[in-house]
């Protein structure tokens, strides 16, 4: 059945390909976005490596190629509750996919102003959505992009479940009881902290107002294009490679294409969860088609397909591209080494067949990095945001290069 | 040792007597407040039953009577980060006691605008404080007024610990491990949800920036005066009795003094934690004198002294005043009946000797309600904020009065 879907933050890295995918599936899609991601790039003096078109150009191209209409409304979720409420009152969406948040951990740690912006923007955006849906008494299914980072990486040693943990509790004054709790949060940045706070709001509104909510705890996304974005260059997706917004694989690929060493933070022993962008949009589709019923708990799904240590990723990229590796100081406050086991049963059961790094789909992104290298500002790749004032940014020195050699041997 | 102390929200119901208490102890106290509580009263068309003086009159009276100087800065914690930062840079407080939040659950559920205000105000106020302290690299001890309501009332059946729960976890792929988690939150209103979100921010900033934080999970406060506020009528504390800001005991006392029935929500089987205002300020003093060390976890203390079922409280007030009781519809979404056991070991070990309801200290507040009854608007006592659109406000009907009779029999 075709749905009316709002994609909040539908101009961004995951939001744009998700909007196209849902439109291609036959849904009636409206993007709501304040274009903040483009403005942040301007302010940081950076741009997407790929030449992304304006929203109007994107929508025209999509119509020209597919005959499908995408709608766009420029509304600031965080700052304009009335505008958001009016848009939702008119559209009355069956589903609202919420990407509309500041999504970079390093950016959120850059300075006081960015810490404040991240919390103010993300909490207000999410809460405005929740209050608007409640106030309008809409039966909209809210699908939120959360993060694997809410769980943290140094805790119980058990496989991370999909959101909830079953416990058995008892004390001297009580009988033994089985309870279910939200898996304890341990965010590693102000950005991740804002996602933990989102979680708490979802728990409350699902319970008090019977809102139907799915929270997708997503791993680090790799890849740039999807079946839809590669149909035409005007539909191309953004490719971020700077120290704030570039995810680890993009930054490695850009460094390789620029003849720079791949910068690995600390020992590279950090294990993280990953997912390909094509799988991301497929999973969003699965989430949209499988809403929880009203009155049930928040449905939490781990949206990731594989885990890797960062040094192994660097070695993989180095072997494909011939790049060198530099072990730089870790600007983040995190465990140097961690294990990570994650349950992703829900999406596998719904039919996800993961695209893995080992399959070499890396190739497309390598090609993109090379094709648009003339647009690059290689000096922007270094991660300059530090987690505390005592820490040093992740930059390359001769010593860092020497230490990096050990990764490949 | 005397400290430089900032009391944020020091014009409010708990903040004002706490500021006086800390000043009386010899500390150098600056109140920071935006006077929002007074403005909200104006907007709601209500006023404190007691005639509270202006901040200037209060400070002059305090100086006149005790020779001690209290300072006052009108700064909006939530809206004026720069002003807050400048004030903290100048004062460089040893301790910052943070009462500066919207603190009424019914007000937070009143309508969309108040839900948004509560979250925006409380989250920004707390986050601005945390970022200002971090950015200034101050070693200030932050003492925050949290709420027992973050724990919720219908969970594990065990004694609620002071913030943390120890668990033993294991799965097929791991060894058994002991971990400590934040006690799972279960907030019952948007207001309580904002306190849960505060908690998450405290966890992050204590870990990442080694901020020293004490979070006091306070029960429902009863009583109106403290040793300091009763020194002069110009120092008198506020007495709220309206359906939004009046706590349960004050509302019972006002109803009794007005010849109205005491309105008990639902069955009155809700068990809640209580503390007398005099004990509150004493506990704040204990928290100030016993900071955690830098780098340690957030120190969470349950600031309550006894638990009561609401119908037992109503029966107590009825027996003292001769008032009747009405069982009205519960406007809140909560368990009709619950048990509640709470650990308050920390404060007892530090020397707290609780003032209990059974000691009859109720008398002073009964006297205050009677003395100022000419200032009352009895029609404001009913709780009109409902938790969902399906619910009905807590108002008296003939049937409600008849049902109330059973409580006393």
């Amino acid at each position: 059945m075709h749905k009316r879907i709002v994609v909040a933050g539908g101009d961004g890295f995951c939001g744009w390909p998700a909007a196209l995918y849902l439109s291609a599936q036959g849904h009636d899609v409206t993007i709501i976005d304040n274009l903040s991601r483009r403005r942040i790039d301007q302010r940081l003096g950076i741009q997407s490596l790929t030449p992304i078109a304006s929203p109007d150009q994107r929508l025209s191209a999509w119509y020209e190629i597919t005959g499908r209409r995408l709608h766009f409304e420029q509304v600031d979720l965080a700052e304009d509750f009335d505008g958001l409420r009016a848009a939702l009152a008119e559209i009355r969406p069956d589903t609202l996919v919420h990407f509309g948040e500041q999504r970079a951990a390093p950016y959120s740690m850059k300075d006081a102003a960015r810490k404040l912006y991240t919390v103010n923007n993300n909490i207000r955006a999410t809460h405005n959505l929740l209050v608007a849906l409640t106030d309008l008494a809409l039966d909209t299914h809210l699908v939120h992009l959360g993060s694997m980072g809410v769980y943290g990486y140094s805790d119980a040693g058990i496989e991370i479940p999909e959101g909830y943990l079953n416990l058995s509790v008892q004390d001297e004054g009580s009988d033994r009881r089985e309870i279910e709790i939200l898996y304890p949060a341990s965010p590693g940045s102000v950005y991740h902290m804002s996602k933990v706070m989102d979680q708490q709001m979802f728990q409350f509104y699902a319970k008090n107002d019977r809102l139907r909510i799915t929270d997708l705890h997503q791993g680090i996304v790799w890849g740039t294009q999807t079946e839809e974005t590669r149909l035409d260059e005007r539909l191309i997706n953004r490719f971020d490679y700077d120290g704030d917004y570039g995810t680890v694989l993009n930054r490695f690929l850009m460094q390789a294409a620029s003849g720079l060493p791949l910068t690995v933070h600390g020992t590279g022993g950090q294990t993280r969860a990953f997912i390909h962008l094509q799988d991301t949009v497929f999973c969003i589709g699965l989430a949209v088609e499988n809403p929880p019923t009203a009155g049930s708990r928040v449905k939490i799904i781990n949206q990731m397909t594989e885990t890797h240590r960062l040094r192994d990723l660097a070695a993989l990229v180095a072997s494909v591209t011939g790049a060198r590796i530099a072990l730089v100081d870790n600007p983040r406050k995190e465990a140097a080494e961690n294990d990570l086991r994650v349950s992703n049963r829900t999406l596998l059961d719904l039919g996800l067949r993961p695209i893995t790094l080992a399959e070499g789909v890396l190739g497309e992104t390598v090609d993109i990095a090379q094709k648009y290298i003339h647009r690059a500002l290689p000096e922007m790749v270094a991660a300059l945001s530090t987690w505390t004032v005592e820490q040093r940014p992740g930059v390359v020195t001769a010593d860092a290069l020497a230490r990096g050699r050990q990764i490949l041997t």
Side-chain angles (χ1 to χ4, degrees), chain A residues 36 65 71 74 82 140 165 188 268 281 283 331-332 338 352:
Chain A
S36 61
I65 293 158
H71 315 286
Q74 186 165 344
D82 293 339
T140 304
L165 192 59
V281 302
C283 292
R332 305 190 179 207
N338 69 281
L352 173 66

Side-chain angles (χ1 to χ4, degrees), chain A residues 3 94-95 141 143 212-214 286-294 296 299:
Chain A
K3 298 177 192 284
D94 300 302
T95 312
H141 171 211
V143 177
R212 296 185 297 140
I213 303 174
T214 299
L286 293 175
V288 167
E289 299 297 343
N290 294 278
T293 55
S296 62
K299 186 171 183 175

Side-chain angles (χ1 to χ4, degrees), chain A residues 254-385:
Chain A
M254 248 306 290
Q255 289 171 322
S258 308
L260 295 169
L262 316 182
T263 48
V264 173
H265 293 165
T267 66
Q270 307 94 324
T271 307
R272 293 292 179 268
F274 292 86
I275 185 169
H276 189 278
L277 183 64
Q278 183 71 57
D279 286 343
T280 285
V281 302
F282 183 71
C283 292
I284 301 281
L286 293 175
V288 167
E289 299 297 343
N290 294 278
T293 55
S296 62
R297 68 177 191 183
V298 177
K299 186 171 183 175
I300 299 177
I301 298 175
N302 292 337
Q303 187 161 300
M304 53 70 70
T305 56
E306 54 189 322
T307 63
H308 293 284
R309 282 192 194 273
L310 299 189
R311 62 176 170 244
D312 296 336
L313 271 192
L316 175 65
V317 174
S319 72
V320 173
T321 62
R324 292 164 302 159
I325 291 174
L327 285 188
V328 301
D329 285 339
N330 191 350
R332 305 190 179 207
K333 196 156 177 176
E334 63 188 4
E337 308 260 334
N338 69 281
D339 292 318
L340 183 62
R341 289 183 296 131
V342 183
S343 169
N344 62 346
R345 189 170 307 272
T346 302
L347 289 168
L348 296 179
D349 287 351
L350 288 172
L352 173 66
R353 297 289 164 265
I355 298 166
T356 62
L357 271 160
E359 287 172 45
V361 188
L362 206 51
E364 178 174 70
T365 305
V366 175
D367 294 345
I368 285 179
Q370 285 169 350
K371 177 171 178 187
Y372 296 106
I373 190 70
H374 60 281
R375 289 170 49 87
L377 300 169
E379 70 276 18
M380 299 297 286
V381 179
L384 301 179
S385 293

Side-chain angles (χ1 to χ4, degrees), chain A residues 33 87 111 130 133 163 174 178-179 182 257 301 334 338 383:
Chain A
D33 204 296
D111 53 28
L130 292 166
L133 293 177
S174 72
E178 306 299 315
I179 61 169
L182 203 56
I301 298 175
E334 63 188 4
N338 69 281

Side-chain angles (χ1 to χ4, degrees), chain A residues 126-330:
Chain A
T126 299
H127 196 230
N128 282 350
L129 281 174
L130 292 166
V131 173
L133 293 177
T134 306
D135 199 43
L136 292 165
L138 293 176
D139 184 38
T140 304
H141 171 211
L142 178 64
V143 177
H144 173 253
L145 271 288
S147 167
M148 285 295 302
V150 304
Y151 298 121
Y153 298 107
S154 56
D155 296 295
I158 59 172
E159 182 185 67
I160 293 180
E162 299 199 274
Y164 299 94
L165 192 59
N166 291 303
L167 297 180
S168 174
V169 294
Q170 183 178 31
D171 66 11
E172 306 89 67
S174 72
D175 294 330
R176 182 160 291 280
R177 239 185 257 197
E178 306 299 315
I179 61 169
E180 179 188 80
I181 67 167
L182 203 56
Y183 190 89
S186 183
S189 72
V190 166
Y191 156 72
H192 291 106
M193 183 186 84
S194 76
K195 295 283 187 182
V196 170
M197 295 161 77
D198 283 346
Q199 265 202 319
Q200 296 293 343
M201 294 193 279
F202 296 145
Q203 291 292 319
F204 177 76
Y205 282 92
K207 185 176 67 171
N208 194 74
D209 298 283
R210 300 169 58 87
L211 287 191
R212 296 185 297 140
I213 303 174
T214 299
D215 203 3
L216 302 170
H217 288 340
Q218 188 167 248
I220 300 171
V221 178
W222 61 281
T224 306
Q225 296 278 55
T226 61
E227 288 175 22
E228 291 77 25
T229 64
R230 70 169 76 88
L231 288 174
D232 187 284
E233 197 177 19
R234 290 168 294 169
L235 300 176
I236 200 167
N237 198 26
R238 60 182 308 130
F239 180 108
D240 301 310
Y241 62 90
D242 59 290
D244 286 320
Y245 279 90
T247 49
V248 57
L249 210 49
N250 279 11
R251 294 172 57 243
F252 285 164
L253 292 170
M254 248 306 290
Q255 289 171 322
S258 308
L260 295 169
L262 316 182
T263 48
V264 173
H265 293 165
T267 66
Q270 307 94 324
T271 307
R272 293 292 179 268
F274 292 86
I275 185 169
H276 189 278
L277 183 64
Q278 183 71 57
D279 286 343
T280 285
V281 302
F282 183 71
C283 292
I284 301 281
L286 293 175
V288 167
E289 299 297 343
N290 294 278
T293 55
S296 62
R297 68 177 191 183
V298 177
K299 186 171 183 175
I300 299 177
I301 298 175
N302 292 337
Q303 187 161 300
M304 53 70 70
T305 56
E306 54 189 322
T307 63
H308 293 284
R309 282 192 194 273
L310 299 189
R311 62 176 170 244
D312 296 336
L313 271 192
L316 175 65
V317 174
S319 72
V320 173
T321 62
R324 292 164 302 159
I325 291 174
L327 285 188
V328 301
D329 285 339
N330 191 350

